[in-house]
């Protein structure tokens, strides 16, 4: 009997070792109320997970984020004004567990997690000027601050944990806030007027030196330097194809990738070179993405993500209209689409992480 118990303990220990350090991707199927895992090592996807358990089908699942330790995924349900917390620590082969939910009081769309993994910040997909701050471990709303005349439809948090940038599509602005991690409050600092661009998204590099506002109109996208709390508008980067929805930096911050989805060129990944703080230029490389996607833009939803190894870029849908089930896979060493995986619905928000001890 003692030998059996010892053998069981050893087996559980081996399973734990197998999961720790595992790379995993998670994406939301907006219209089928489910999530799916991606195994980036094999470029395969799981079956639908938690189908029908993430709020109402009509609400629509949009954004996806994962805590820094890779153990908890959070998905937003737009119409339900809720976010849902999911235990993914078991890895690709395990069944995820729904941990709970939190109501934010407005149409939940974009989310960003603080670097310490303590809070998730949520912005609105409608017309509310509120930003919600939710405690991740407790899954409760810490506050929902209202900022009159300072609207935010997307947000990004710098690695310092205190600098927050938000996008304002309607007024053509990028807003700067200071976040207090002690009490979870935000303070408005400054608005950068970037008309005629209409930013639907904003992204900050992993090294905290650069930020790009992603404009849904025109060819120009605002570039900012961060040093580290001083945010400065530097210039516009001009891309060869108009209209965009998402941006992602690679791990060393020397490359950025923008998903353009104009009505004439449809889905294109634009490759940007980053040579220093505020120094961002178009590389001249544009990568066609197939199948075609729709031509409007979701507010703040991250529809492109790089796997933890930094080798492949995954592309979901920048909008629901004209959405495809396929998630395109771009090889970043050759700047070419090489594969795809298929979701069981219309994939929107996508994120990758490495599960830690």
């Amino acid at each position: 009997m003692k030998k059996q118990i010892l053998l069981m303990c050893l087996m559980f220990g081996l399973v734990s070792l197998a999961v720790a350090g595992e790379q995993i991707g998670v994406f939301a199927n907006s219209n089928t109320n489910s999530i799916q895992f991606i195994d980036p090592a094999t470029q395969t996807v799981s079956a639908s997970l938690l189908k029908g358990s993430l709020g109402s089908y009509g609400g629509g699942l949009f954004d996806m984020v994962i805590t820094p330790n890779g153990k908890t995924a959070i998905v937003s349900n737009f119409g339900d004004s809720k976010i849902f917390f999911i235990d993914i620590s078991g890895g690709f082969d395990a069944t995820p567990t729904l941990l709970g939910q939190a109501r934010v009081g407005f149409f939940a769309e974009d989310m960003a997690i603080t670097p310490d993994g303590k809070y998730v910040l949520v912005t609105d997909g409608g017309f509310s000027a509120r930003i919600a701050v939710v405690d991740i471990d407790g899954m409760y709303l810490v506050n929902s601050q209202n900022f009159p005349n300072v609207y935010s439809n997307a947000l990004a948090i710098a690695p310092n944990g205190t600098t927050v940038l938000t996008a304002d599509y309607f007024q053509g602005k990028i807003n700067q806030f200071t976040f207090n991690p002690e009490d979870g409050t935000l303070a408005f600092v400054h608005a950068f007027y970037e008309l005629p661009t209409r930013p639907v998204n904003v992204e900050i590099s992993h090294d905290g030196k650069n930020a790009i506002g992603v404009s849904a109109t025109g060819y120009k996208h605002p570039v900012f330097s961060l040093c580290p709390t001083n945010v400065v508008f530097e210039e516009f980067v001009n891309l060869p194809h108009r209209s965009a929805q998402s941006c992602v930096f690679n791990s060393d911050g020397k490359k950025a990738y923008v998903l353009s989805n104009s009505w004439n060129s449809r889905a294109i990944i634009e490759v940007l070179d980053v040579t220093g703080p505020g120094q961002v230029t178009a590389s001249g490389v544009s990568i066609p993405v197939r199948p075609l996607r729709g031509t409007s833009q979701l507010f703040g939803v991250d529809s492109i993500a790089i796997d933890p190894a930094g080798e492949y870029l995954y592309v979901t849908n920048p909008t629901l209209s004209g959405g495809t089930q396929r998630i395109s896979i771009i090889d970043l060493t050759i700047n070419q689409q090489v594969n795809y995986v298929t979701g069981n619905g219309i994939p929107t928000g996508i994120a990758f992480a490495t599960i830690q001890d």
Side-chain angles (χ1 to χ4, degrees), residues 1 80 85-86 102 113 118 120 144 196 223-224 231 247 263 282 303 306 318 346:
M1 181 66 179
D80 287 11
F85 301 82
I86 304 162
I113 293 177
K118 184 176 181 180
V120 58
S144 180
V223 174
F224 302 85
V231 180
C247 173
W263 65 269
S303 56
I306 299 175
I346 299 177

Side-chain angles (χ1 to χ4, degrees), residues 174-291:
I174 295 292
N175 303 308
Q176 180 185 354
F177 293 84
T178 297
F179 179 71
N180 185 343
E182 297 299 321
D183 59 9
T185 59
L186 287 152
F188 173 70
V189 177
H190 182 71
F192 301 89
Y193 289 86
E194 303 303 339
L195 287 171
T197 66
R198 298 281 184 179
V200 291
N201 217 331
V202 60
E203 185 73 8
I204 298 174
S205 60
H206 301 286
D207 59 11
K209 296 179 180 180
N210 288 284
I212 298 175
V214 183
S215 177
T217 60
Y219 302 89
K220 298 165 58 176
H221 305 271
V223 174
F224 302 85
S225 62
L226 288 71
C227 185
T229 58
N230 185 36
V231 180
V232 177
F233 167 70
E234 298 288 354
E235 60 183 354
F236 289 101
V237 58
N238 289 284
L239 300 183
H241 300 91
R242 62 178 296 130
S243 304
Q245 193 271 331
S246 279
C247 173
V248 64
F249 288 86
N250 67 354
S251 60
D252 64 12
K254 294 181 179 179
K255 292 284 186 181
Y257 302 89
V258 173
L259 172 59
S260 169
N261 65 322
S262 62
W263 65 269
N264 55 342
S265 300
R266 307 302 284 269
I268 298 284
I269 295 294
E270 308 285 7
V271 183
L272 283 64
D273 292 325
V274 184
T275 55
Q279 299 173 19
V280 180
T281 57
S283 70
V285 177
S286 299
I287 308 169
V289 180
R290 297 297 179 264

Side-chain angles (χ1 to χ4, degrees), residues 126-149:
F127 299 97
S128 171
R130 292 185 175 275
I131 300 175
V133 178
V134 178
D135 183 282
I136 292 177
D137 286 343
M139 296 178 289
Y140 62 86
L141 182 67
V142 175
N143 61 59
S144 180
Q145 292 176 253
N146 186 38
F147 298 94
N149 301 316

Side-chain angles (χ1 to χ4, degrees), residues 75-152:
V75 63
S76 59
N77 186 307
F78 175 82
D80 287 11
S81 301
K82 294 179 180 179
I83 59 175
F84 292 82
F85 301 82
I86 304 162
D87 182 357
I88 62 170
S89 61
F92 181 84
D93 294 321
T95 300
T97 302
L98 179 61
L99 299 172
Q101 59 185 267
R103 184 182 294 276
V104 298
F106 51 75
F107 293 131
E109 192 153 356
D110 191 29
M111 299 180 292
I113 293 177
T114 55
D116 60 5
K118 184 176 181 180
Y119 301 104
V120 58
L121 278 59
V122 190
T123 52
D124 179 56
F127 299 97
S128 171
R130 292 185 175 275
I131 300 175
V133 178
V134 178
D135 183 282
I136 292 177
D137 286 343
M139 296 178 289
Y140 62 86
L141 182 67
V142 175
N143 61 59
S144 180
Q145 292 176 253
N146 186 38
F147 298 94
N149 301 316
V150 184
Y151 174 72
S152 299

